[in-house]
Amino acid sequence: MTYSRIVGTGRYLPEKILTNFDLEKMVDTSDEWIRTRTGVERRHCVAPEQTTSDMCVEAAKVAMEDAGVDPTEIEMVVIGTTSPDLIFPNAATLVQHRLGIPACPCIATEEACTSFIYGVSIADKFIKAGEAKCVLVIGAECITKLIDWNDRNTCVLFGDGAGAVILKRSDEPGILATHLGADGQYKELLYYPVGASKDLYKAGTDEAAIMMTGNEVFKVAVKTLGNVAVEVLEKAGVSKDDLDWLVPHQANIRIIQATAKRLDLPMEKVILTVQDHGNTSAASVPMALDVGIRDGRIKKGQTVLMEAFGGGFTWGSVLMQL
Ligand code: UT7
């Protein structure tokens, strides 16, 4: 049986840290409100000249070193992001060139916070089909560049960063099952109003900012994330009792607690980074995975469930043995 396995991870966080106390000076909010409603205490923000591909390159270097993989071994690059440097060439192409990865398929996924999970699922299929042996998958966001810093409903939630993994073909179990979904009827609840072919005139104005009806998103997120966790376990024929770790999308501590409860999983088995990173959209799951592996909690051979939910709505989960 052929599997794809994660053999290396890495992350990059921009230097600048913005705390809840800093935000108290910018909008009508409080550290207490942000912490109790979201779990966020601080977040990293890119410098004005820094881009998503800059962060991807740094995270990828760490993941390649961790995996002991040279750029010339990589046969495909997949990058999930909602905040690419350019409309085209895509982020994967920019990063491939900067890292000296030879010509290969370079794919961009854009399912908002779920983009990394979609990327892993696509890479897994290419590896299992024999189309690639070694794939670089990254989730990265400069999401603080898409925010209205006067809107307290959104500006307290998000942060920037990049998380990378190296997936390799393996005879040992790795990814056991993936589950993806989307439902476009919820577009109005969470979206960015400017694109390449619609309302481009709004670019650079106050209207160009993430729009979110938070409490409505919250309700669907709780329900959907519980369902995708259970569905991927059923697909793989794995019992929730055999789960060692949950690596969830880090949007809100209360959503994460609800998913853990649905899985009867104590919070000690959940990797939490929301307090330090905020919601980094596509970067949140790979960065949390890297944190859990590097601090020694997630160990080789353990069963890990990753899941995410984002604008669209989109959702997805990956069940794997590390
Ligand atoms: O990653 C992609 C998916 N995104 C998510 O999953 C986000 C899901 N949503 C959430 O995490 C939560 O809904 C939020 C954290 C965004 C908001 O928390 P909430 O408990 O749902 O609050 P709310 O939106 O219902 O607002 C409650 C009150 C409102 O005031 P009134 O109308 O009750 O007087 C808001 O105006 O809190 C107010 N509020 C704030 N107060 C202080 C909203 N933002 C803030 C703020 N500081 N930053």
Side-chain angles (χ1 to χ4, degrees):
M1 180 111 179
T2 300
Y3 291 95
S4 68
R5 264 193 66 224
I6 290 183
V7 295
T9 62
R11 69 178 184 278
Y12 172 82
L13 284 156
E15 250 171 61
K16 183 182 166 189
I17 294 175
L18 194 69
T19 67
N20 292 350
F21 299 105
D22 295 327
L23 281 160
E24 282 182 354
K25 294 175 202 137
M26 296 160 64
V27 285
D28 180 17
T29 190
S30 67
D31 170 59
E32 206 263 335
W33 191 96
I34 304 171
R35 258 189 304 108
T36 52
R37 296 286 181 126
T38 71
V40 183
E41 293 171 24
R42 61 193 71 79
R43 70 287 288 145
H44 292 249
C45 302
V46 282
E49 69 282 4
Q50 231 175 353
T51 66
T52 296
S53 70
D54 292 338
M55 294 194 292
C56 288
V57 165
E58 297 310 318
K61 282 181 188 164
V62 181
M64 287 191 296
E65 194 184 340
D66 188 38
V69 160
D70 188 81
T72 57
E73 288 174 60
I74 292 173
E75 295 176 345
M76 179 162 133
V77 182
V78 187
I79 297 187
T81 185
T82 317
S83 44
D85 297 22
L86 303 169
I87 288 168
F88 73 90
N90 75 21
T93 312
L94 300 179
V95 170
Q96 175 219 29
H97 174 66
R98 287 177 62 181
L99 288 171
I101 295 169
C104 66
C106 286
I107 298 174
T109 59
E110 49 161 338
E111 295 76 25
C113 304
T114 320
S115 306
F116 173 76
I117 298 289
Y118 268 68
V120 169
S121 183
I122 291 166
D124 177 56
K125 309 287 177 295
F126 269 77
I127 289 175
K128 284 187 176 140
E131 296 276 322
K133 293 184 289 299
C134 184
V135 183
L136 168 63
V137 185
I138 305 175
E141 299 287 6
C142 274
I143 200 121
T144 62
K145 292 192 181 185
L146 306 182
I147 285 169
D148 174 357
W149 287 99
N150 297 311
D151 177 10
R152 70 174 184 174
N153 290 298
T154 51
C155 77
V156 303
L157 305 173
F158 296 99
D160 300 321
V165 303
I166 303 288
L167 269 174
K168 259 189 161 179
R169 194 167 74 187
S170 166
D171 297 330
E172 279 180 69
I175 291 179
L176 305 172
T178 70
H179 180 86
L180 304 179
D183 188 343
Q185 72 170 300
Y186 296 105
K187 180 237 157 190
E188 296 298 325
L189 296 183
L190 178 54
Y191 68 104
Y192 187 78
V194 183
S197 60
K198 186 170 160 51
D199 295 347
L200 195 53
Y201 69 91
K202 289 182 184 167
T205 73
D206 289 349
E207 287 185 76
I210 290 177
M211 306 284 173
M212 179 164 81
T213 312
N215 46 14
E216 293 300 320
V217 178
F218 187 94
K219 285 182 220 157
V220 188
V222 167
K223 195 165 147 232
T224 309
L225 284 169
N227 290 344
V228 292
V230 171
E231 277 158 14
V232 81
L233 285 165
E234 280 172 1
K235 199 169 169 183
V238 172
S239 159
K240 59 186 179 184
D241 302 334
D242 294 328
L243 211 52
D244 293 301
W245 292 103
L246 174 65
V247 182
H249 174 44
Q250 311 281 326
N252 186 312
I253 182 80
R254 293 183 289 139
I255 298 175
I256 296 171
Q257 285 163 339
T259 310
K261 196 167 169 210
R262 179 88 185 270
L263 292 167
D264 294 323
L265 209 61
M267 285 306 283
E268 295 73 48
K269 290 189 165 196
V270 180
I271 304 295
L272 283 180
T273 55
V274 65
Q275 67 286 357
D276 298 323
H277 299 171
N279 181 349
T280 56
S281 184
S284 91
V285 171
M287 291 206 294
L289 179 69
D290 184 59
V291 166
I293 292 173
R294 279 175 194 273
D295 69 18
R297 279 179 292 170
I298 306 179
K299 295 183 179 64
K300 189 168 184 307
Q302 290 190 318
T303 306
V304 180
L305 185 106
M306 305 190 285
E307 43 85 328
F309 177 89
F313 291 144
T314 57
W315 57 84
S317 48
V318 173
L319 185 70
M320 65 180 180
Q321 221 165 296
L322 195 70

